Amino acid sequence: MSLNNSSNVFLDSVPGNSNRFQVNVINESHESSAAVDNNADPPHYEETSFGDETHNRFRISFRPGNQECYDSFLQNGDNAKTDASFHAYDSHTNTYYLQTFGHNTVDAVPKIEYYRNTGSISGPKVNRPSLLEIHEQLAKNVAVAPGSADRVANGDGMPGDEEAENKEGEDKAGAVKFGWVKGVLVRCMLNIWGVMLFIRLSWIVGEAGIGGAYYLISRSLGPEFGGSIGLIFAFANAVAVAMYVVGFAETVVDLLKESNSLMVDPTNDIRIIGSITVVILLGISVAGMEWEAKAQVILLVILLIAIANFFIGTVIPSNNEKKSRGFFNYQASIFAENFGPSFTKGEGFFSVFAIFFPAATGILAGANISGDLEDPQDAIPRGTMLAIFITTVAYIGVAICVGACVVRDATGSMNDTIISGMNCNGSAACGLGYDFSRCRHEPCQYGLMNNFQVMSMVSGFGPLITAGIFSATLSSALASLVSAPKVFQALCKDNIYKALQFFAKGYGKNNEPLRGYFLTFVIAMAFILIAELNTIAPIISNFFLASYALINFSCFHASYAKSPGWRPAYGIYNMWVSLFGAVLCCAVMFVINWWAAVITYVIEFFLYIYVTYKKPDVNWGSSTQALSYVSALDNALELTTVEDHVKNFRPQCIVLTGGPMTRPALLDITHAFTKNSGLCICCEVFVGPRKLCVKEMNSGMAKKQAWLIKNKIKAFYAAVAADCFRDGVRSLLQASGLGRMKPNTLVIGYKKNWRKAPLTEIENYVGIIHDAFDFEIGVVIVRISQGFDISQVLQVQDELEKLEQERLALEATIKDNECEEGSGGIRGLFKKASKLNITKPAPKKDSSMNTIQSMHVGEFNQKLVEASTQFKKKQRKGTIDVWWLFDDGGLTLLIPYILTLRKKWKDCKLRIYVGGKVNRIEEEKIAMASLLSKFRIKFADIHIIGDINIKPNKESWKVFEEMIEPYRLHESCKDLTTAEKLKRESPWKITDTELEAVKEKSYRQVRLNELLQEHSRAANLIVLSLPVARKGSISDWLYMAWLEILTKNLPPVLLVRGNHKNVLTFYS
């Protein structure tokens, strides 16, 4: 870019041309009261620092011994020499371990162990050789342990992994694992064949009819199975314990009624028996998964015998007593009568559905204990689907059989037979010789609608059905009592809800959730006290429907996100079926009980808001993440099709912070005008040997991005490795960003130590400014009096933290051994101390490090620490002084305006300073006010400075001359030959010719500092047009001197120069 630097340019650049701006006389209400009194005693801005800010900025640090390795690397070049005892093709010794597919390489073949998570229940995780190990040369001192060669050759891991694997295997050896039959099939069948099969299915057939029962079953026993979905599912399982126990207690109370042995009354007897039962079940559960699994198998055998007993009973000829109770064996007339629904008062399809639905919840019994299965991926689908098929056939079979054998209402009186001459009411019972018509007018105790023990009556041997009821209810209660704590423990371990972390602790080899068992016991006891099965069942239905809705939606969402990691193994899976299932579950919830559904979704919404607000530190690779990525990608691609418009311009910054935590003030001020509006990328350049730099860079990427997130800074971290600083920044300027989201502004800190810095550092520093301009990228240079770099402070803090940790560890070791006596105790102390590696630090060659280690916290440069946080604080009431000296497109004005919109800067008013002609100050002031009003930028005052181009005073100029004296060539006082020689030897120095050619510009920089001292010394922040050095005309040292004298002894300064493309507009 070109810029006319003649002395008259400044005067002509003032926007006073009437052709450019329409000047209107306006009321100059400039809120002068908001401006800070210039006569106030300004703060003193010291030129002190903790140390040289960028001294050894990119120094490569070596651990003890690494320097020699590095020297050896440089000496050896690209070819690593092998030891004399090692031959690359020696297949008869342990060194023949470098093979894959029988060839010489450390590269491992693909194995499932490489893809497992750490702590996977399906086997140990094995670390494959890293890219560095494969790509780099082998070290000469590779030691191969006996027996490890074959393991590496076959891709089983690197030498040294075996010990870790053995230890992990020992830890898991005692854990009980189940296959698909015992772990999934048995549990699902027992849960599905629960209390509803024996106690409520006959009533459901009576209410909904045989066809209705089939509809309920086919709609309920769907393929929804999966893992836990949170608190609601865990709570539903806990309430299910109460439902099954109450079902068991009902059967026991019915038996007590028959023998007139009630303890109190039916309701309280249910409570007493239920409480005792749940305590016994809790004892079995606490005993461990192995005992619980054995009990489940025994209960399943009893259950199967009971079901077979029922089917046998349907073909045994009925006697008069059973006929009076409504059982007539298989009759076509009874089947036809019972096929359609006949709902009693207060009942309907969905109320019956709500009571039956808990029978379907057993499909997740296997998935709930996935952590205790040998191979969950195979066991859960196989066991669950087979259980669904078997139990569906059983439910349909029982519904058809009971609906074809038993009438809806029966009196139980053998005298209610039809005699000749009586009119038949047309019912199936009437056709079979019994008159149960009085059941229409008075309650009856028998039949499908009235007797919950119909299956016991129909069966061949009644006590077996009772045993089956006991088996079904107790097994289901036991399964739910195990599932609920497991689900709850998994939820607590994820640490989503901090308050529930107490329940995450497990005990024993199987990690039993004893605390979760107790919580489930308390919830179950509370619902057992309700003592009414038809009341508890709809509550469970509501929560399970909500759970299944979320499971279905999760499957749909994962498919919709198009994540490559979502690969359903179920052959006929369709995402739209999942969505339909989710919508159907939600709709049914509201049909069953709208107010309960509302309460459930309010709870879910509250939990969602809570988790969103807390942002737990977990990463599950969720479909939400995948969808966010897809949305971001689509938006980024869509954005590339839209041309840039000035109204949508926003500063998108590359900030050369190095590590973001090392220059927090530089990042804070940039973040202040990019947060929620523009892109901010914290960049670091690693300079040095590529291998070392890349390793250091890769190891710190995640940590530094995590630091940004932890400190709530909306920015990205990027790093490059380069041979020199300028090359690295040049790469960042060209390659950073994505599509339209590319940086348009470079933000750098002012180089405080430029006078002491090596020549290459100055060339790099000024060079990146030139590069930014070449790439049409704006530049912002930020200067604060104390400097930005606090890396030495952080280093001291790290050293002190390590010393404190060692001290605490030593104190703990001494405390553990304080009771020991004799030499054994002393030896034990030293043994433990050696394990903790508590030794006296070895003296280091670097004297600065010795100084740091000996420093006390109070010896920190407190001013530097305070300066590093100055932009985090709310700024005092004052001004941001904008010295908009050159029209760079408006960036110099836009940045301070954005700052005033931030909460921390809202008490700061804008004061605008522009250059102008002495004889046209008022006109130009009005013109600038008009322009700002069109930009809709509020300001406190406008100052037209007409004396910028006069010479500075002698004292100020003398300071500048003394500043540049060490870097001048002084060739004019030498003969021609000597002068040419000096130019060749020191081409970077400031020549007399150059100094004379740009003398007016030098005057201007010195004079501007005088004006800044006069007008803006008390400002909170100064935003100032950055002078541009023409390439090839202004030497680097002279340019640095300009920047130095321009910003010397001032409040924080932002030197801003846009890319001379408009970033402001007054067109709507």
Side-chain angles (χ1 to χ4, degrees):
M1 61 184 293
S2 63
L3 180 67
N4 190 343
N5 291 306
S6 66
S7 59
N8 295 323
V9 167
F10 178 75
L11 294 177
D12 294 337
S13 64
V14 179
N17 192 328
S18 60
N19 293 329
R20 185 174 182 183
F21 304 114
Q22 181 179 354
V23 181
N24 298 317
V25 179
I26 61 173
N27 183 11
E28 297 186 68
S29 176
H30 300 311
E31 301 175 23
S32 300
S33 59
V36 176
D37 186 1
N38 288 336
N39 295 326
D41 187 19
H44 180 60
Y45 296 95
E46 298 179 81
E47 294 292 320
T48 58
S49 175
F50 185 84
D52 291 345
E53 179 181 342
T54 52
H55 181 60
N56 293 331
R57 190 174 186 178
F58 305 104
R59 181 182 60 203
I60 303 298
S61 299
F62 300 94
R63 292 186 175 88
N66 286 0
Q67 179 68 56
E68 296 177 5
C69 294
Y70 173 64
D71 293 340
S72 176
F73 168 77
L74 291 178
Q75 293 169 7
N76 292 343
D78 293 335
N79 298 319
K81 298 179 181 178
T82 57
D83 204 300
S85 61
F86 172 79
H87 193 279
Y89 297 91
D90 182 3
S91 60
H92 303 289
T93 67
N94 285 337
T95 56
Y96 188 64
Y97 66 95
L98 309 176
Q99 61 175 339
T100 296
F101 306 116
H103 298 287
N104 280 38
T105 174
V106 180
D107 207 355
V109 297
K111 292 188 67 176
I112 190 174
E113 286 81 3
Y114 297 141
Y115 299 93
R116 290 191 178 121
N117 292 328
T118 303
S120 171
I121 60 174
S122 56
K125 173 181 172 59
V126 176
N127 294 323
R128 67 172 61 81
S130 68
L131 187 62
L132 184 66
E133 292 169 337
I134 296 170
H135 188 257
E136 296 295 332
Q137 304 174 28
L138 285 172
K140 293 192 295 183
N141 56 347
V142 174
V144 184
S148 64
D150 295 334
R151 291 175 62 249
V152 179
N154 294 307
D156 292 335
M158 295 301 294
D161 291 342
E162 188 173 358
E163 182 179 351
E165 292 177 18
N166 291 339
K167 183 176 180 182
E168 186 175 1
E170 290 174 2
D171 293 339
K172 296 186 177 181
V176 178
K177 299 294 180 182
F178 305 111
W180 71 274
V181 175
K182 199 173 180 181
V184 180
L185 179 64
V186 171
R187 291 176 184 278
C188 288
M189 291 173 64
L190 282 171
N191 271 260
I192 298 172
W193 283 336
V195 64
M196 295 302 164
L197 177 64
F198 292 101
I199 300 180
R200 288 295 185 275
L201 186 59
S202 58
W203 173 82
I204 290 169
V205 171
E207 292 281 353
I210 297 172
Y214 167 76
Y215 184 84
L216 294 175
I217 294 168
S218 63
R219 298 303 186 273
S220 299
L221 296 180
E224 301 94 344
F225 51 86
S228 163
I229 62 165
L231 282 175
I232 291 178
F233 191 54
F235 182 77
N237 274 281
V239 178
V241 176
M243 183 190 74
Y244 295 126
V245 170
V246 168
F248 168 78
E250 273 191 9
T251 305
V252 175
V253 169
D254 286 341
L255 294 176
L256 293 177
K257 282 182 182 178
E258 293 178 2
S259 59
N260 295 321
S261 303
L262 290 176
M263 293 176 283
V264 184
D265 57 63
T267 301
N268 284 311
D269 281 9
I270 289 175
R271 291 168 178 162
I272 294 170
I273 296 170
S275 300
I276 296 171
T277 303
V278 77
V279 171
I280 295 173
L281 293 177
L282 179 64
I284 296 174
S285 300
V286 171
M289 289 291 295
E290 197 169 1
W291 283 96
E292 186 265 347
K294 291 178 180 178
Q296 294 278 27
V297 173
I298 296 172
L299 293 174
L300 178 62
V301 172
I302 297 173
L303 188 58
L304 291 172
I305 295 173
I307 294 174
N309 178 49
F310 165 76
F311 286 112
I312 293 172
T314 59
V315 297
I316 297 176
S318 178
N319 54 34
N320 291 334
E321 181 182 5
K322 289 186 177 182
K323 287 181 179 179
S324 67
R325 297 183 178 183
F327 174 53
F328 294 94
N329 296 110
Y330 291 102
Q331 301 292 335
S333 59
I334 296 178
F335 181 87
E337 184 179 77
N338 288 339
F339 191 82
S342 179
F343 296 111
T344 56
K345 185 178 180 181
E347 300 294 349
F349 175 82
F350 285 103
S351 65
V352 176
F353 175 87
I355 294 173
F356 170 77
F357 184 78
T361 60
I363 61 177
L364 292 180
N368 288 342
I369 63 161
S370 58
D372 295 302
L373 301 176
E374 290 179 354
D375 186 4
Q377 187 173 359
D378 176 70
I380 291 176
R382 182 188 296 186
T384 304
M385 296 304 292
L386 184 57
I388 290 174
F389 174 77
I390 294 173
T391 54
T392 300
V393 170
Y395 266 107
I396 293 174
V398 171
I400 292 174
C401 291
V402 76
C405 297
V406 184
V407 297
R408 281 190 166 101
D409 294 295
T411 60
S413 173
M414 288 183 289
N415 296 325
D416 288 338
T417 56
I418 296 177
I419 59 178
S420 59
M422 290 184 64
N423 292 325
C424 184
N425 59 9
S427 66
C430 184
L432 295 171
Y434 279 81
D435 180 16
F436 298 143
S437 59
R438 64 188 175 99
C439 291
R440 297 180 180 179
H441 311 292
E442 60 183 61
C444 294
Q445 296 183 352
Y446 297 98
L448 297 177
M449 307 283 278
N450 310 300
N451 184 13
F452 292 149
Q453 303 296 330
V454 165
M455 290 190 67
S456 180
M457 176 192 69
V458 172
S459 66
F461 183 61
L464 273 180
I465 294 296
T466 303
I469 293 173
F470 289 174
S471 174
T473 54
L474 294 178
S475 63
S476 299
L478 195 58
S480 296
L481 190 58
V482 171
S483 296
K486 290 282 185 181
V487 173
F488 202 65
Q489 183 186 38
L491 179 72
C492 296
K493 279 186 174 180
D494 290 334
N495 204 24
I496 296 175
Y497 306 103
K498 302 284 186 182
L500 302 179
Q501 186 64 25
F502 173 80
F503 296 99
K505 183 174 176 59
Y507 297 87
K509 61 184 180 181
N510 284 330
N511 197 32
E512 295 291 345
L514 299 185
R515 296 174 179 178
Y517 282 128
F518 178 76
L519 179 63
T520 304
F521 170 78
V522 171
I523 296 173
M525 282 293 294
F527 281 86
I528 286 171
L529 297 179
I530 296 176
E532 180 56 51
L533 188 63
N534 285 14
T535 303
I536 300 173
I539 297 175
I540 297 174
S541 298
N542 187 64
F543 283 116
F544 273 111
L545 279 168
S547 302
Y548 293 159
L550 290 175
I551 291 175
N552 275 284
F553 184 75
S554 297
C555 293
F556 165 77
H557 197 267
S559 300
Y560 183 74
K562 299 181 179 66
S563 173
W566 171 251
R567 297 181 292 273
Y570 193 54
I572 58 174
Y573 168 77
N574 186 278
M575 60 183 287
W576 301 110
V577 174
S578 297
L579 180 61
F580 176 75
V583 173
L584 187 63
C585 287
C586 295
V588 170
M589 285 178 64
F590 282 93
V591 173
I592 291 175
N593 191 324
W594 69 267
W595 58 265
V598 169
I599 292 174
T600 302
Y601 280 108
V602 167
I603 294 172
E604 285 187 1
F605 181 73
F606 171 77
L607 295 175
Y608 174 81
I609 294 298
Y610 173 83
V611 175
T612 303
Y613 176 75
K614 289 295 185 180
K615 291 183 173 60
D617 187 17
V618 294
N619 184 10
W620 296 331
S622 67
S623 59
T624 304
Q625 295 174 342
L627 189 61
S628 298
Y629 175 84
V630 172
S631 300
L633 184 60
D634 290 342
N635 291 335
L637 290 171
E638 185 177 354
L639 198 60
T640 59
T641 64
V642 180
E643 291 295 329
D644 289 333
H645 195 282
V646 63
K647 288 193 294 185
N648 293 323
F649 178 87
R650 59 206 57 219
Q652 303 193 114
C653 300
I654 279 185
V655 196
L656 299 185
T657 59
M661 63 284 292
T662 60
R663 291 174 177 82
L666 181 61
L667 179 56
D668 289 338
I669 189 62
T670 308
H671 189 242
F673 59 82
T674 60
K675 181 181 180 181
N676 296 327
S677 63
L679 179 70
C680 181
I681 306 177
C682 301
C683 295
E684 185 171 10
V685 179
F686 290 84
V687 178
R690 182 178 180 83
K691 181 171 70 172
L692 298 177
C693 288
V694 170
K695 182 177 180 180
E696 183 182 359
M697 179 180 69
N698 291 340
S699 63
M701 293 284 284
K703 177 183 177 183
K704 290 167 184 176
Q705 184 64 55
W707 184 89
L708 292 171
I709 296 172
K710 181 181 178 182
N711 288 272
K712 298 180 180 180
I713 297 175
K714 296 183 178 182
F716 299 96
Y717 172 77
V720 294
D723 294 331
C724 72
F725 180 61
R726 184 178 180 181
D727 287 345
V729 176
R730 188 184 289 122
S731 299
L732 290 167
L733 291 174
Q734 296 178 87
S736 297
L738 183 68
R740 295 290 181 193
M741 295 185 294
K742 290 183 69 68
N744 53 34
T745 307
L746 171 67
V747 182
I748 57 177
Y750 177 70
K751 191 171 183 62
K752 279 177 55 60
N753 70 331
W754 66 274
R755 300 188 215 187
K756 300 179 182 178
L759 173 63
T760 53
E761 288 189 13
I762 301 301
E763 290 176 345
N764 284 334
Y765 186 82
V766 178
I768 64 174
I769 299 175
H770 288 305
D771 293 336
F773 289 148
D774 288 341
F775 299 137
E776 295 187 336
I777 292 176
V779 176
V780 177
I781 301 177
V782 187
R783 180 174 187 178
I784 60 177
S785 61
Q786 299 296 326
F788 293 105
D789 192 359
I790 63 168
S791 56
Q792 293 185 353
V793 175
L794 297 176
Q795 192 173 9
V796 171
Q797 292 175 347
D798 289 342
E799 292 288 338
L800 293 174
E801 287 177 4
K802 290 178 182 178
L803 291 173
E804 180 65 13
Q805 291 174 359
E806 289 183 355
R807 185 186 66 80
L808 294 175
L810 182 58
E811 288 180 356
T813 304
I814 294 173
K815 186 175 181 181
D816 291 340
N817 292 274
E818 62 184 359
C819 296
E820 296 184 13
E821 297 179 359
S823 59
I826 298 299
R827 285 196 298 269
L829 173 60
F830 280 105
K831 184 177 180 181
K832 289 190 177 182
S834 63
K835 289 182 180 180
L836 291 169
N837 197 23
I838 302 172
T839 57
K840 183 178 179 180
K844 299 184 179 181
K845 296 179 180 180
D846 192 344
S847 60
S848 64
M849 288 298 296
N850 288 330
T851 304
I852 291 173
Q853 287 186 349
S854 64
M855 287 181 68
H856 189 268
V857 180
E859 297 175 7
F860 286 170
N861 189 326
Q862 191 61 32
K863 291 183 178 179
L864 178 61
V865 176
E866 291 175 357
S868 68
T869 61
Q870 62 179 302
F871 298 126
K872 293 182 183 293
K873 305 171 185 176
K874 183 175 176 59
Q875 302 299 304
R876 60 181 172 82
K877 188 174 182 180
T879 64
I880 297 176
D881 287 0
V882 183
W883 290 70
W884 195 14
L885 304 179
F886 305 102
D887 194 334
D888 58 351
L891 186 64
T892 306
L893 186 61
L894 180 62
I895 287 177
Y897 167 72
I898 296 175
L899 285 176
T900 60
L901 302 179
R902 306 306 187 193
K903 185 183 297 184
K904 294 176 182 176
W905 293 87
K906 67 178 182 179
D907 292 334
C908 297
K909 306 298 182 181
L910 292 183
R911 292 194 305 188
I912 312 299
Y913 292 83
V914 294
K917 297 179 180 179
V918 177
N919 59 346
R920 296 192 61 210
I921 288 180
E922 287 303 319
E923 293 88 340
E924 293 184 354
K925 187 173 183 179
I926 293 173
M928 179 54 60
S930 176
L931 178 62
L932 293 175
S933 65
K934 289 182 178 181
F935 284 151
R936 299 176 299 282
I937 292 179
K938 296 180 180 180
F939 55 91
D941 205 353
I942 295 177
H943 295 271
I944 307 298
I945 308 298
D947 56 348
I948 294 178
N949 283 334
I950 67 173
K951 288 185 179 181
N953 62 52
K954 293 182 179 179
E955 291 77 10
S956 300
W957 182 250
K958 184 178 180 181
V959 171
F960 177 75
E961 287 185 323
E962 291 175 351
M963 185 184 300
I964 64 174
E965 179 61 30
Y967 316 108
R968 292 187 61 181
L969 193 65
H970 289 295
E971 81 283 2
S972 60
C973 59
K974 307 285 194 306
D975 60 80
L976 183 61
T977 304
T978 305
E980 291 298 326
K981 181 180 179 182
L982 289 174
K983 288 181 181 179
R984 289 194 302 270
E985 293 176 349
S986 304
W988 51 271
K989 283 194 173 184
I990 305 170
T991 65
D992 294 339
T993 304
E994 174 193 359
L995 195 59
E996 186 62 29
V998 295
K999 193 170 186 178
E1000 295 296 326
K1001 294 181 182 179
S1002 299
Y1003 281 159
R1004 185 188 304 159
Q1005 314 310 324
V1006 180
R1007 175 59 183 157
L1008 278 172
N1009 183 260
E1010 293 178 349
L1011 293 170
L1012 287 164
Q1013 298 285 350
E1014 178 184 348
H1015 295 280
S1016 298
R1017 187 161 172 77
N1020 293 43
L1021 180 70
I1022 298 174
V1023 181
L1024 174 66
S1025 293
L1026 172 69
V1028 176
R1030 189 184 297 273
K1031 289 196 297 184
S1033 299
I1034 309 298
S1035 63
D1036 296 340
W1037 294 94
L1038 180 58
Y1039 187 62
M1040 291 304 301
W1042 283 359
L1043 300 183
E1044 174 69 26
I1045 198 64
L1046 182 61
T1047 59
K1048 186 179 178 63
N1049 293 330
L1050 290 173
V1053 178
L1054 268 63
L1055 292 165
V1056 181
R1057 173 69 65 159
N1059 62 359
H1060 286 236
K1061 293 181 180 180
N1062 286 349
V1063 301
L1064 292 173
T1065 182
F1066 40 76
Y1067 297 106
S1068 58

